[in-house]
Amino acid sequence: RFTCMKLLVTGGAGFIGSNFVHYVIANTSHHVTVLDKLTYAGNLESLKGLPSERFRFVKGDIADAALVDELVAEADAVVHYAAESHNDNSLHDPRPFLDTNIIGTYTLIEAARRHGTRFHHISTDEVYGDLELDDPARFTEQTPYNPSSPYSSTKAGSDLLVRAWVRSFGLQATISNCSNNYGPYQHVEKFIPRQITNVIDGVRPKLYGKGENVRDWIHANDHSSAVLTILDKGEIGETYLIGADGEQNNKDVVELILEEMGQPRDAYDHVVDRPGHDLRYAIDSTKLRNELGWKPEYSDFEAGLAATIAWYRENEGWWRPQKAATEAKYKEQGQ
Ligand code: NAD
Ligand code: DAU
């Protein structure tokens, strides 16, 4: 379906980037170069086993203008995943979020405009702020930006840079804003892997506040297929929302994890809430479905969650090295 391209994938050693790289190698004939700084969130183990004739890894910072220029010059398209991605971290130390999400994105789009390179910017539904629990509305491409956290405000800033570069400089860019992803290779700091690995360790899951907050879950493979669709058929200058109708409140997700792992459904603790905690995210992905013909494959959240639990059980060697330090950091914060 796709012509063969040389893709530069930033952040390809992270959760969603590594899932995308595996998906691209399995489903297209593209060549992939990953540029990744290997922060605490990057893991080369997530890219193991890829064919060397179609895959190359470069360690480096997206804010390194000379390196970025060289790599963008060689690429047919850039898919930009690299970011500081965790809200809780952004509340304790916002600076890296500005450096990577704002300056890093600026550095990439400057190179892409110099070389006339196709650019796809990966972003989040969090740029729209949150919805009330009883509001029937969902986010659309027309929803005004209203980010709540240092993380989401830097992602919003990076989206606006890309939009301005399209308008002012003719950057050949598209943007996607996706809801919460789950699946293999997600860092144990994030909600679902944290609770699964806690249960494996005999520790009770930790629910922030009352656990009523709603997230709209999508499997990482469905995010990947949507991004490939946009790269293939998306219109330059357009934004596409990506979502799979997967709304669940956090309490229900914890209970599902406990049940699937053979524990009593109430064997969890409530801990201190996240400051400024967004209540609900919900995506209306009609534009992507109707205009580009995309649809998700993983419609059964419980089945996807069970497969994810199985992956963490079978891949303890992948997550174990991060677990103790991650929990020590949460403990300091009372979470
Ligand atoms: P992640 O934290 O798992 O991975 C981020 C990757 O970027 C890591 O490999 C890290 O080493 C790399 N990186 C960080 N700073 C870098 C820098 N300065 N230079 C080069 N590499 C750097 O993140 P994720 O959850 O996979 O998210 C990836 C992207 O998808 C982000 O842009 C995020 O905003 C977006 N997104 C995430 C979700 C989600 O549910 N996780 C949902 C929608 C959008
Ligand atoms: O919506 C997309 C966003 O989803 C992405 O842009 C972010 O990069 C990604 O991290 C994610 O943000 P969230 O803040 O929604 O994800 P997180 O996994 O941190 O938390 C999910 C929900 O679970 C949130 O309501 C907070 C809650 N939570 C989280 C942790 C880590 C808990 O109740 N307990 C926990 O231990």
Side-chain angles (χ1 to χ4, degrees):
R1 174 166 147 231
F2 298 96
T3 54
C4 178
M5 286 200 285
K6 280 185 275 178
L7 298 182
L8 176 63
V9 177
T10 73
F15 163 45
I16 308 179
S18 62
N19 274 284
F20 178 73
V21 174
H22 285 287
Y23 193 90
V24 165
I25 295 295
N27 293 288
T28 74
S29 49
H30 299 333
H31 185 279
V32 175
T33 297
V34 165
L35 170 61
D36 196 295
K37 189 178 172 184
L38 296 180
T39 66
Y40 80 95
N43 190 343
L44 275 182
E45 292 293 306
S46 309
L47 296 168
K48 253 182 26 194
L50 292 165
S52 58
E53 64 283 4
R54 289 183 57 205
F55 168 73
R56 172 173 67 136
F57 180 80
V58 177
K59 184 176 176 190
D61 193 325
I62 55 165
D64 177 342
L67 175 63
V68 161
D69 190 73
E70 188 188 316
L71 295 174
V72 171
E74 295 168 0
D76 298 316
V78 180
V79 188
H80 173 35
Y81 287 92
E84 285 293 336
S85 69
H86 194 36
N87 277 298
D88 291 325
N89 291 343
S90 81
L91 294 163
H92 293 92
D93 183 15
R95 178 61 196 244
F97 290 76
L98 288 134
D99 292 336
T100 290
N101 301 358
I102 302 281
I103 301 297
T105 300
Y106 157 77
T107 308
L108 285 161
I109 56 181
E110 277 292 83
R113 89 160 157 125
R114 267 195 303 277
H115 297 288
T117 310
R118 175 81 173 84
F119 191 86
H120 182 69
H121 179 64
I122 302 292
S123 193
T124 168
D125 58 0
E126 297 194 14
V127 299
Y128 301 115
D130 62 354
L131 299 159
E132 294 298 327
L133 294 178
D134 58 358
D135 184 348
R138 300 192 293 172
F139 298 137
T140 72
E141 287 79 5
Q142 279 72 48
T143 305
Y145 274 40
N146 187 25
S148 313
S149 74
Y151 161 67
S152 53
S153 61
T154 57
K155 289 299 292 187
S158 68
D159 293 11
L160 297 182
L161 291 176
V162 175
R163 288 184 182 195
W165 261 239
V166 170
R167 168 97 185 230
S168 299
F169 304 125
L171 183 74
Q172 297 293 293
T174 42
I175 298 176
S176 55
N177 297 81
C178 188
S179 60
N180 284 62
N181 284 220
Y182 72 97
Y185 304 116
Q186 187 169 29
H187 195 281
V188 290
E189 70 187 352
K190 301 298 197 310
F191 178 54
I192 288 179
R194 183 182 186 206
Q195 314 313 340
I196 294 171
T197 54
N198 274 354
V199 175
I200 292 174
D201 280 351
V203 172
R204 288 161 71 91
K206 311 285 180 227
L207 206 49
Y208 293 173
K210 289 191 195 151
E212 287 173 345
N213 309 63
V214 172
R215 296 296 182 263
D216 189 352
W217 294 99
I218 180 173
H219 194 278
N221 274 357
D222 281 333
H223 190 178
S224 295
S225 70
V227 170
L228 271 181
T229 301
I230 297 166
L231 209 52
D232 189 31
K233 300 193 244 170
E235 206 173 305
I236 299 304
E238 290 295 313
T239 289
Y240 299 91
L241 262 55
I242 305 173
D245 303 332
E247 282 186 68
Q248 298 276 348
N249 77 31
N250 295 339
K251 188 167 166 293
D252 289 345
V253 174
V254 161
E255 289 177 0
L256 279 173
I257 291 171
L258 284 162
E259 191 170 33
E260 177 66 29
M261 297 183 76
Q263 301 295 315
R265 282 172 73 91
D266 62 354
Y268 60 86
D269 294 325
H270 291 276
V271 294
V272 60
D273 207 353
R274 173 185 283 171
H277 196 174
D278 279 340
L279 275 177
R280 172 174 160 252
Y281 307 137
I283 289 270
D284 177 348
S285 57
T286 304
K287 176 178 172 181
L288 176 63
R289 293 174 194 237
N290 288 356
E291 292 184 12
L292 305 189
W294 172 82
K295 61 174 182 350
E297 271 178 33
Y298 292 74
S299 48
D300 182 343
F301 177 69
E302 287 190 41
L305 188 62
T308 304
I309 291 169
W311 189 88
Y312 280 88
R313 282 195 196 279
E314 286 155 20
N315 290 277
E316 184 165 343
W318 181 87
W319 56 265
R320 177 60 69 195
Q322 275 82 43
K323 184 64 180 169
T326 303
E327 287 305 316
K329 205 152 114 188
Y330 277 128
K331 200 170 173 200
E332 262 173 41
Q333 298 158 12
Q335 292 180 319

